[in-house]
Structure formats: C-alpha cells, structure tokens
Amino acid sequence: MLEYGWDAGVAISRFLDGLKAGKILGVRCNVCGRTVTPPRAFCELDFKPIDAWVELPDTGTINTYSICYITWDMKPLRKPQIPAVIEIDGTTPRAGFLHLIGGVKGSSVESIRKQLRVGMPVRAVWRKPDQREGAITDILHFEPVRGRRR
Amino acid sequence: MSERVAIVGVGAVVPRPQSRDASHREMIFDAATRAYADAEITHHEIDSFISVAEDIHEGTSITDEYVPDQLGAVLKPVQTIAGDGMQGVAVAFALIRSGIADLVVVEAHCKPSNILRHGDVLEMALDPVYERPLRVHPHYIAGLEMRRYLHDTGTTEDAVASVVNKNRRQALANPAAPYGGNVSTSDVLASPPVCEPLRSLEVSSYADGAVVLALASEERARRCPKPVWIRGIGWASDSPWLARREWSDAVYASLASGMAYQMAGIATPTEEIGFAEIDDTYAYKELQHLEAAGLAPRGRAGALTVAGETRREGRLPVNSSGGSLGMGYCFDASALYRIAEVTRQMRGEAGRAQIANPGSGLVISWRGVPTQTGGALVLGSH
Ligand SMILES: [Zn+2]
C-alpha cells in the first residue's frame, strides 16, 4: 500500500506549532503588502521570501460556505458539514483560510441559511490545550459571533 | 521563430538523503531563485513553465495544480510532464522553436524520503494482472537486464564494480554529491546481492532534490550572461512488456542519442563528444548506456572503464560529478541534475570536478525500472 510522510516545511511547521499553542500565525510580504494565513515561506506573486511573521486574532468573516450532506467518501449525512473560506481578521481581503463552521442549530438547509451568511463574523473554537497535536484540526471549527456587526 | 535554443540558467539544491527542514515547494523555490539569478532574469519575464512530476511520487493527485506558486508562475502558462526530466526539456525546446515562447523554465524535484516504501510505487508501475502478482521487488528487473547484458557482451562483474569505484570517488570533488566515498571494486563485489548479479553497492541511493533550468531562444539568450547551446535533443520509448524485452541493449538510448546526434550533425560521436553525464541508476547502466550512445563499441565500455579512460582525467570523462551513484538517485529529476552538471562543466564552473577542455557534452537519461524510456541531449559552447 502506498504511504507517505510529508515534510511540512519551514512555514507550515511554524504555523502548526502556533495552532498547538492556540495561535493563528500569518506572514506578510512588504512588496505587495499582503498578510496571509496559512503562511508560506515565499510570496507567490513577488517571488521573494516573506518579510515578517504576525500573530493574528482567531476571528474572521465568512467569505463563502457550502452546506454538505455527503461525507468525503459519499456517505449521506443527516447533520451536514459546513466547509467555509474564512477571512481571518488582520489578513488581506480574499486571502482566506479553509475550515469548517460549527455551532449551528438544526440540519435543514432552511434553518442553517437563517443562521449563516456571507460576511458574517466567526470565531475559532479550539480543542482543549492538552488535546492539541499541532494540526489544522486543533481548531474544531469556527462558529458565528452573535451580536457583532462589521 | 528561433533556430537555436540555449540553457541560460541553472539552479539546484544539493541532493540529500533527508530534507526534513523544507517542503518540496520550499526546495523548488530555492532552486528557482538560484536559476533566475544565474540567468539574470525575473519571474515576470518568463513566458512558460514546465514541471516534471508524477502524482504517485508526490502522494498528491493532479499535482500539476500545485506548480505555479514556487516558480513564480501564477497566472502564466504552466504544464506538467509525468515523464523523464529530458521529456520536460524537450517540451521547453519545442515551445521555443515553435515561437510560442522565448523564455521557458523546466523544473523537476523529488522527495524519496517522504515515500515510506518506494518499492510499492515501483510495483504500481507493473502490469496489474500479469506482473504484479509475482510479488518480487522491482529491482529484479535490473537484475534480469544486468545478467543478459553481461552474458551477451562478456562484460565482467569487476568492470561493473569499477563504475561504482569511479563515480563515488569522483563525487568527492563535487560539494553537491552526498554519496562521495572511497569504495574499492572489491568492496563492491563483497556487498550483498540485491537481485543477483546486482549487488547493493551497485544501486544508487535515493536523494531528495530540486532542479530548475531556464531555456531561451537565441535572441533572448544573447541577453543572458552564460548561455550553453542545445545542439541536439532526443527521446524514445521501447515496448513496455517485461517478457519481450531486448534485455541486453538499451535500445531507447540508441534511438534517443541517434535523434540528438542527427540534430547536432554529429556523425562520429567518439570524436565529437568530449565528456558525458550518463544515467548510472544501477552501475551496469552506465556501461550499457555508453555503448548505446556510440561512445564505446559494444562490449567494450567495461574495459574502457577498468583502463581509467572514463575518469575525469581520461580520454572520455563520464560522470565527473559522481553521477547518481555519487550524487544520489532523484527519480525523474536525475536527468536535470545531469544536465545541470554538464552546463557547469561547459561554463568552467565545476570547481575541483572540472574537466580540462570539456568540448561538447552529452547527457543520457533513463526513467528507471520498469521503464524503457530515456533521453539524450548534446550541449555545445557555441
Ligand atoms: Zn508579495
């Protein structure tokens, strides 16, 4: 059976260490001025090493989302998964972060649509510190921040 | 349209058995940064990009989608060649000759250290119905080929072992060769059989690496500091079936080198090729490939090697860099490492591995077991 053990590299390793410590880290390029997360070692537009690491808040806004009633291997789901692109506060618009939305009541399209919208503020819900392993799943999901407007 | 094409930039990371500190994308970024600096170009100026990669080596399907960022190729023409590195260079050459692009980048990389069992990858390359159920490590294909090559040509096992001695010793002069060492022919012959007659020290060790080459049309190349000209290029594939192979001859290498020689106008390769970087994934392959490329009469490459004629100081230096035996085997990126080493030799940048008056250089590449695919490239300084 084919098996791999990928080297995460400089940028993603530091990012994963940050998640274990309950922090979302990003990087900044001084040429285009963008701040992005997840971080990379170089700016793909300016083709140069990134200039600075920044600690970001664990809040953001929903760029786009989908309500999925199938698992990754096509099993039907009663309670849907909601993958979303989240623009973390402090990053450049459209430099998004892929994760899941949770903390939403009900399972029908109608009830979920009432609770979520593009542009809605969200906040990370973390695993307990002793359960984190330096993986993207150290954040369980993002949930809507109620009563906050942007 | 441009008649002539040059290699104008070379960038490579030093191959090494492990590379835990860097992702493959970070390694490619490093190699590309070096290549663009070498050619005195920026990523904005490059017209088209080619990545040589194989999904099953990456552990990611549709791996071509991951190419642009680390080459500075975002929003540019990009394509992936799942083949030998030479086939990627051939596509770049064609893009330039056809007038589609003036400046093209070819990238190849490998991270064997991230593949837990490479034998499983090789096995996936065998016919699933007929060949795979035998459950033998695919090195056996090299064992079968080596025996028939020795049998038909009278090449001795000592001669094969002397290839290992030569290349690993030559690697000692190359700071980019992690497997340099003093390994005597008797050490090689005393090393355990893998798939007899193939012995463990006759198999190149894996290395992680990344190479980026920049190619340019004649007009564009004139603005780069150190162009080395492509005189001829060729590539060929034989029928894949194991049971029906030629076994003793590397027919693909004869055809590929013939194609390259014809393009270069070379009638007598022994007189016009000054030195070579030749695939030596398995030590006997260097001898078989030398004969296929017409650089030694059939059955004579072994004796030439034992006589020292293929050493750095010899009449026809072969793998002055150390080859794959000395630098490590880098899957389909091996071809680009060989090309990078020939380019450095022709520019006089090979340091202690430098050949005096190198002349035109030849590269022979091979895609490894179980394939019968390989390429050839002739480079000249004008
Ligand atoms: Zn930038």
Side-chain angles (χ1 to χ4, degrees):
Chain A
M1 196 182 77
L2 296 170
E3 282 188 276
Y4 304 85
W6 296 279
D7 296 318
V10 173
I12 294 297
S13 296
R14 190 160 164 185
F15 171 67
L16 296 176
D17 285 346
L19 292 178
K20 198 167 185 179
K23 296 172 184 172
I24 297 177
L25 300 178
V27 292
R28 192 169 60 230
C29 168
N30 286 345
V31 175
C32 60
R34 292 184 307 158
T35 299
V36 303
T37 189
R40 60 277 312 265
F42 48 85
C43 173
E44 77 278 16
L45 300 183
D46 297 304
F47 202 68
K48 60 180 280 294
I50 56 97
D51 293 294
W53 283 78
V54 290
E55 189 180 330
L56 297 162
D58 65 354
T59 54
T61 55
I62 296 175
N63 173 318
T64 183
Y65 67 96
S66 177
I67 309 167
C68 295
Y69 289 91
I70 43 168
T71 62
W72 67 275
D73 55 352
M74 293 295 284
K75 290 182 192 126
L77 279 174
R78 248 185 265 285
K79 174 87 178 164
Q81 285 185 306
I82 310 172
V85 172
I86 293 146
E87 297 187 6
I88 298 291
D89 292 339
T91 60
T92 305
R94 298 284 183 266
F97 192 97
L98 186 71
H99 218 291
L100 300 169
I101 300 290
V104 177
K105 294 186 192 72
S107 55
S108 70
V109 170
E110 294 70 27
S111 69
I112 292 171
R113 276 189 180 178
K114 277 183 198 143
Q115 301 167 69
L116 294 181
R117 61 179 167 78
V118 169
M120 173 176 264
V122 290
R123 177 187 302 280
V125 177
W126 296 82
R127 266 184 211 284
K128 292 197 183 81
D130 62 347
Q131 289 172 4
R132 292 181 202 146
E133 49 188 7
I136 190 67
T137 46
D138 288 351
I139 296 174
L140 293 167
H141 54 253
F142 285 76
E143 66 179 14
V145 181
R146 291 173 225 291
R148 182 170 151 230
R149 283 282 174 272
R150 288 166 57 112
Chain B
M1 199 188 86
S2 174
E3 280 301 312
R4 300 213 303 162
V5 177
I7 293 175
V8 294
V10 175
V13 300
V14 173
R16 48 202 172 125
Q18 296 279 343
S19 52
R20 289 188 186 157
D21 53 319
S23 69
H24 72 279
R25 286 170 208 150
E26 290 164 354
M27 286 167 59
I28 295 165
F29 174 76
D30 186 8
T33 302
R34 290 166 195 276
Y36 303 169
D38 185 52
E40 296 186 2
I41 58 176
T42 70
H43 68 294
H44 296 296
E45 297 174 84
I46 300 161
D47 300 312
S48 211
F49 297 80
I50 295 156
S51 172
V52 175
E54 181 84 63
D55 287 359
I56 209 164
H57 286 152
E58 310 288 311
T60 309
S61 66
I62 322 178
T63 191
D64 46 305
E65 279 302 299
Y66 290 90
V67 171
D69 290 16
Q70 52 272 19
L71 291 174
V74 177
L75 302 176
K76 291 281 187 82
V78 172
Q79 62 187 303
T80 293
I81 303 294
D84 183 69
M86 191 68 78
Q87 292 169 312
V89 174
V91 172
F93 182 83
L95 284 173
I96 295 169
R97 283 287 295 266
S98 62
I100 290 174
D102 280 323
L103 191 53
V104 181
V105 155
V106 185
E107 171 274 328
H109 63 275
C110 63
K111 274 255 197 188
S113 70
N114 286 189
I115 302 171
L116 301 195
R117 291 173 308 279
H118 186 236
D120 293 347
V121 171
L122 293 175
E123 191 186 41
M124 288 290 282
L126 301 178
D127 182 89
V129 177
Y130 178 62
E131 293 164 356
R132 240 182 269 174
L134 297 174
R135 298 293 300 173
V136 186
H137 189 286
H139 279 327
Y140 83 89
I141 296 160
L144 296 175
E145 189 177 63
M146 179 174 171
R147 166 152 282 115
R148 190 72 208 193
Y149 170 73
L150 297 184
H151 176 84
D152 284 0
T153 60
T155 303
T156 63
E157 291 186 72
D158 273 34
V160 176
S162 71
V163 172
V164 182
N165 166 261
K166 169 181 72 75
N167 289 1
R168 294 193 59 181
R169 201 177 162 71
Q170 295 196 145
L172 290 171
N174 181 359
Y179 295 106
N182 286 313
V183 179
S184 69
T185 54
S186 49
D187 291 338
V188 176
L189 294 171
S191 69
V194 178
C195 291
E196 191 278 339
L198 187 70
R199 295 170 196 282
S200 65
L201 287 178
E202 293 167 348
V203 181
S204 296
S205 302
Y206 299 124
D208 298 351
V211 190
V212 172
L213 303 177
L215 277 69
S217 64
E218 179 158 12
E219 197 186 325
R220 185 64 186 81
R222 295 285 176 211
R223 288 190 274 140
C224 295
K226 295 173 284 190
V228 169
W229 300 93
I230 294 179
R231 293 184 60 196
I233 187 165
W235 65 102
S237 292
D238 203 341
S239 170
W241 304 108
L242 287 176
R244 264 186 270 151
R245 289 191 173 193
E246 161 55 37
W247 291 115
S248 68
D249 281 342
V251 179
Y252 57 88
S254 300
L255 296 171
S257 56
M259 183 174 162
Y261 292 153
Q262 188 178 18
M263 199 181 295
I266 289 175
T268 317
T270 46
E271 286 171 17
E272 296 181 66
I273 298 296
F275 72 105
E277 288 278 324
I278 300 255
D279 176 87
D280 61 337
T281 303
Y282 303 100
Y284 75 91
K285 291 300 276 186
E286 177 172 310
L287 304 176
Q288 191 193 36
H289 285 151
L290 272 172
E291 293 168 11
L295 293 178
R298 184 162 156 77
R300 293 291 300 154
L304 290 181
T305 306
V306 171
E309 294 199 29
T310 56
R311 280 192 219 137
R312 189 175 294 128
E313 312 75 27
R315 191 178 51 80
L316 175 73
V318 176
N319 289 327
S320 181
S321 66
S324 288
L325 287 162
M327 289 182 71
Y329 174 54
C330 295
F331 298 163
D332 293 317
S334 300
L336 265 59
Y337 272 107
R338 302 276 76 72
I339 295 169
E341 291 296 330
V342 167
T343 306
R344 272 196 255 276
Q345 286 286 349
M346 307 208 48
R347 291 169 169 182
E349 293 176 348
R352 286 203 297 127
Q354 184 66 47
I355 297 160
N357 307 313
S360 284
L362 174 73
V363 175
I364 296 288
S365 65
W366 172 51
R367 229 193 145 197
V369 287
T371 82
Q372 300 223 79
T373 289
L377 185 73
V378 180
L379 292 172
S381 44
H382 26 248

